[in-house]
Amino acid sequence: MSGHASDHPAPAILAEVKPAVVPRRELVEHHRDFKWITDKICGIVEAKTPTWWWVCFGVAAVVASFTVSGLIYLVSTGVGVWGHANPVNWAWDIVNFVFWIGIGHAGTLISAILCLLRQKWRTSINRAAEAMTIFAVVCAAIFPVFHVGRIWFAVFPGYLFPFPNSNGIWQNFRSPLEWDVFAVSTYGTVSVLFWYVGLLPDLGTLRDRFTAAGNIVRARIYGFFAMGWRGSNRHWSNYEMAYLILAGVATPLVLSVHTIVSFDFAVSLIPGWHTTIFPPYFVAGAIFSGFGMVLTLMLPLRAIYRLEDLITQYHIDCMCKITLATGTMVGYAYSMEFFIAWYGANPYEGFAFINRAFGHYAWAYWIMIGCNVITPQFFWFKAIRENTTLVWILSIFVNVGMWFERFVIIVTSLARDFLPSSWGYYSPSIVEIFTFFGTFGVFSFLFLLFIRFVPIMPMSEVKAVIPAADPHAAHQP
Amino acid sequence: MKRKFDHSAPAQRELTGPKYWRSLDELADTPGFREHLAREFPEGASEMNGVDRRQFMRLMAASFALGGLGLAGCRRPEKHILPYGKSVEYTIPGLPLYFATAMPLRKAAIPLVAETHQGRPTKVEGNPSYQPHGGASSLLAQASVLDLYDPERATSHTKGGMNINVADVNALLAKVSSTYAGNGEGLAFLADESSSPTRARLVGRLKAKFPRAIWAEYEPVQDEPPVAAAQAAFGRNVKPVYRFGAAKRIVSLDADFLHAEAGSLYYAREFANGRRVAKASDSMNRLYVAESNFTLTGSMADHRLRVASSHVLALAAALAGKVLGTGAFATVAAGLDFPNKDKWIEECAKDLAEHRGESLVVAGAHQPMQVHVMAYAINAFLGNIGKTIDFVAFEPSSASTITALATAIKGNSIKTLVVVNGNPAYNAPADLDFAKLIGSVPEVIRFGYYADETTAAAGDKVTHLAATHYLESWGDARTVDGTIVPIQPMIMPLFNGLSEAELLARVAGEQNPDAYAQVFLTIGQITSGDGKKAFEKFLHDGQLAGSAYPTVSVTLASQKWDFANIPGFTALSKDNLEIRFATDHKMDDGRFANNGWLQECPDPMTKIAWDNAILISPRLAQELGIVPHGNLLQVARKEEAEYTMGKENARIFEVSLNGRTVRGPVHIQPGLANYTVVLPLGYGRTVTGHIGTGSGFNAYAVRASDGQAFATGAKLVATNDHQLLANTQEHWSMEGRDIVREANLDEFARNPAYVDGIGMESHSPPVLGKDKDKDPAFIASTTPRGNSLYENPNLDGIHQWGMSIDLNTCIGCNACIIACQAENNIPIVGREQVKRGREMQWIRLDRYYSDGGADAEAFGAEGNKVLPEDPQVVMQPMTCQHCELAPCETVCPVNATVHDEEGINTMAYNRCIGTRYCANNCPYKVRRFNFFDFNKRATDALYMGPLGHQKDVPELVKMVKNPDVTVRMRGVMEKCTYCVQRIQQAKIAQKRKAGASGDVEVPDGTIKTACQQVCPVDAIVFGNIKNPDSAVSKLKAQERDYAVLGYLNVRPRTTYLGKLRNPNPHMPDYSALPLSRVEYNKKNGHTEHGVAPAHGEEHGHEAAKPAAEHGGHN
């Protein structure tokens, strides 16, 4: 992507109007050069495994085992081990699914949309964000797959997948759940491809460095995955094109996945689910939560590996501002839902929203409002954006708030729908609490492997945004 | 075992004509093509490893062996077993056989037809040839099949806990017979009540043989009016048979004639007939109910007066005084007080007087005889006798009482006690301390279906004789009007049980008594002519024609009754409470405690399953300081505090009465008399199976001989304990929604289509557009459904199934729930799962209270912040509505729930993966999910899954399953299917019958769903809505027909007929609109009672008279 901005000659008019030069924040601070960047990023992979990594890895594995054992218990005994019951037939399972899928949005958004929009600040965070996306999709996929009553029919003979079968029964292509199958699997596939293609040059670099260091085993492994990357002009040309195409393919997916997830609710007729605002509102919420999670992950990483020169205050500012923007959009959606409920004059819908804010689950609603609407407003203030610790804490609030948003939507709407006789109250069982808690272990487990074995930033792209990469840099003042 | 065939390509030289290739491969002459030619079957087919005959036999040997063992599962009379090679007479494998029988219960048996599959009864239905019941049966009858297969019934005769064989039993009975022969001194019998002529005959023989023996009968609850009342009023042994069908004005004095009284099936049916309304000009009966408990009868009342049971006598006296125009009863009526008392009584009396000969006053069986005498007097005065009430002559039981027996035991004069059925150690009056008494008798022979408290109380010396179930014994019984009905065995006794007739005959000294012969003898004595033929007809018809008690004409002896020992009037208060001991809706007196279907069936009023509770009024709750309040954050809901996390968390209270106490959870029940505490009987069993153990508290513990139905002087003391109750309905208010649409009869007369003026549809364009007023058949068959991108079946079958439920006649008796459970193999889930809301019953009865409150603002928020003291109640059977545009179908990802071309929303269980999306999207919330393997696992080990102690369905329990219905496994969604198995059977039968004629349309009325069949009031009608002449089409064409949540455009096939009330405008509690309508109007921003005419017309609302305020209701 190097030097695209400079490929075109400046229009002649510029000379006449003489626009003031807007100082651009440097994306890599302290005038770091190519070698420093390579050494810094490869160094993380090449260095001896630090003790803290082993500790975290062990903890993550133990926590992940909660999910594994929770699922074994679930499948062997029945969905009843969770807290679901009539009328709340979906609860934490789908809440967690939407939560994790939402988190998975930031990565591809950063990689694809910001790539197409030529937002150069994306370079130092996109690799980790994409990895986060993939791992979040893995965590998300656990829930819809395992929440069904008979997983052995859902997955093995593939009732959910359009394989031809002897009964001649096809899937129900009207069902939003079926759309989910396609949307999420497509999103997962494209995200993995996108991430992997972006990795190729860096894997080549690592292969070369391990070869030079005489570590043949690792050189072979990285060499295998580098797919013969030699960095030739032709390779770069193909690579750039492939990356651009994938960015183009991934861009609509960012919007479509959560739109389709929102259809699970919007297409139904349950008051509180059946609203047309859901698709944009869900996408905004997903980006909001995704950036929240990126901040949650990148800030500690930046501190541990001393990456302040690569993930600069400018990066944090940008992410905070996106969080602020999407958080405000989500807040707008919350208020618009109330307006439409009143304006629509449907007593069932009116009740659903009043009940959300003031009913049995009011506590969840106000946690949601506090975390999602109020928290991001702090990002109006520069002082707060520059206080890394505070930003990190606020990002946690964003994550919590977005989990509660899904909880509020799913559980409060189901708990009190049309006929008061069947109203109920849902509370989770210990099994589903642990199963959900365990997915953080699954996520951390994968993410720790990622930071240990994969270059956490795209070296080639980061190098491309430093002044040294700009062929015109010499002419600039 | 590949076989090679030589299909070599023809030699080049043989070809003379142009050359054609079978494929390009042949031209290329590839090795693959040669291989293809050489094979007998294409690729893949001949790869299968050949299985030769020997190998096949080897593989299948185990299966053959198991198959042979499996055949041994069927039970049928050994003498008659024939190989199916020559077909067993009558039996067509796969088709059920039906036999007439009857379920005995105290003095009023229910005539039944039992459905048997290959020799095992699986379901009972009411015998349709017994006219008064019209084919209906009760929930107890429906559930009784499960008792037959109860693994915890007494499965063998025991002595001191050790099994003894039949010969020992016979020897023992012979010994008793010979020891006491001629005298009977020291011998006593304690039996339950029975209507059996055979038993009466055998008891006569016993009395002849043992003249000094005691024959006592005891029933813990009274369900027939006391004979003493008839003696006092008419001077002869008669009992009333009410003709509710002819009554226009009915007053119930604490009588739950729709459920708890003997003959309730007949009465409910007749009552509903008097309430059935088809068009605006139809009339409807009016029901006044004065009662302390909130019974099903009270729920149907047009005017309901909450009055303590002990005050009913005063009320009866006041009413009788007013009707008869006499002051003679003024002293009895003294002290009675309730708001607007004089006006209430005056207007009620006036209404009765205006309907001479077509009014009826009924007194509760448990009320003292004076109340009955008053009621008889009113009926006589109004000329009702012979019109709405008949008196039949009958021979009352001459048995001794349990009190007399207890005295004899205390006097050590009883050496041998034979307890025939019943369970006196559990349910005898507490002051007798019968459990202890029975332990002091030297020899106790206990004949019972369960080894229960009585068996246990008798100690080690007891001989327990295992009784047979009525479905495995010969017997006879009488219905409420005296008609004799046969009890035929459907199956050989599963556990070598002894039938009652055989037991009594043996004690009477017969050597080889045969229950069949005993019944034959009894019937032979009644019938004349060819005994055998008459007996066969009796068995076939299921009743003995003309055997009903004869109606006799009676005249009121005088109006001077001996009211000397009238119980004094006691004013009640928080510190002097009345206790009403109520027969439980499901447990009856406790005999059904180990029946899982009944335990799990929610009480129709409290909606509590698996337990009983101390029921108190909201007023008393307030005075005791336990009025619930929600937390501050919950502006929208002041939910009763007992509900924490969706579970009823009831406070434990201690009830004390005359020094006896019992502890139990308190449930605040709207509609109770303020200071009456209701204790449902039948719970707190200690010696029973694992289903009944630990269920509720034993109210018999505080019930003494002098207050068996109600008693005053009780106190309630709070404890700090709580208990979670399995309440299936947490929310009592309809929230001003348009779910049950009610009107008063006068509004209906003016605006028969009042249902169209209610609900979202009244504000929106008609859901079906211009087709709205077309008949159902047109809408069902021609409104396009298909022609879309997706393959929806067009609804073009020759049948289009639909159902109509009349909310005006539904009495909420729950029988449909159990009938459905029996028919459709619905498992029970246990108390813990019901608490979580995972009950599986396909039908639920929604019960809503309304008090006209709904005081919150119109938009959104919930109203009705406090439990109403005196609500109106509505019941609504809710099950799958079979929506034509079913929202469950569109969301199922795997097409497991789909429509068939006859309009049924079907479930393909095998396809279901259990996403539960359909249940979420069902607006009626009628889908049920198998959260665990409820059929396979024990309810107490559900969370242990495969590690639990029960690996499979117990063999005995398997036998109750309907073989025509799939038993669902875990992870599968299920719901009402309109009894699709019955539909298919009827269609097959019709196709066979039609033959070449092609007339395959099933005639109307052939198919009855299980819920429809059991319904005593015919509230449920099912049929083909494509046929405009079918019963269901006619009901749906009525103007009262509406679809619940019709505005969603899901077009349910089950629709409801709106409920009507018939209040008396002169009564003080008159409301111009039913209270749920008042709430609806308030909630939806309608001017109170729709005063503005323009508004009313615009929306099709009925503009009620503004003067007709609903005020005055207290």
Side-chain angles (χ1 to χ4, degrees), chain B residues 780 798-803 881-882 884 900-904 977-978 980 983-984 986-987 1001-1004 1007 1022-1026 1032 1036 1052-1054:
Chain B
I798 53 165
H799 306 103
Q800 293 302 326
W801 305 113
M803 184 179 274
Q881 307 277 300
H882 293 272
E884 286 178 8
D900 74 2
E901 64 281 1
E902 298 191 337
I904 294 179
T977 62
Y978 272 165
V980 68
I983 295 175
Q984 294 304 336
K987 279 163 66 179
E1001 186 183 332
V1002 178
D1004 190 40
I1007 304 168
F1022 172 82
N1024 180 8
I1025 60 172
K1026 201 170 179 179
V1032 69
K1036 280 175 180 279
R1053 275 289 173 85
T1054 298

Side-chain angles (χ1 to χ4, degrees), chain A residues 296-316:
Chain A
T296 311
L297 290 174
M298 295 305 277
L299 294 181
L301 209 59
R302 175 180 186 251
I304 290 166
Y305 286 116
R306 314 299 314 163
L307 297 170
E308 287 85 352
D309 290 344
L310 296 170
I311 303 172
T312 64
Q313 181 56 42
Y314 176 59
H315 288 97
I316 298 172

Side-chain angles (χ1 to χ4, degrees), chain B residues 520-537 544:
Chain B
F520 184 83
L521 188 64
T522 311
I523 302 301
Q525 287 172 357
I526 296 168
T527 56
S528 53
D530 184 349
K532 192 167 185 318
K533 214 167 180 180
F535 189 68
E536 277 174 2
K537 183 169 163 48
L544 192 62

Side-chain angles (χ1 to χ4, degrees), chain B residues 359-375:
Chain B
S359 54
L360 176 58
V361 179
V362 186
H366 61 278
Q367 281 289 338
M369 67 81 118
Q370 291 93 338
V371 177
H372 290 268
V373 173
M374 299 275 190

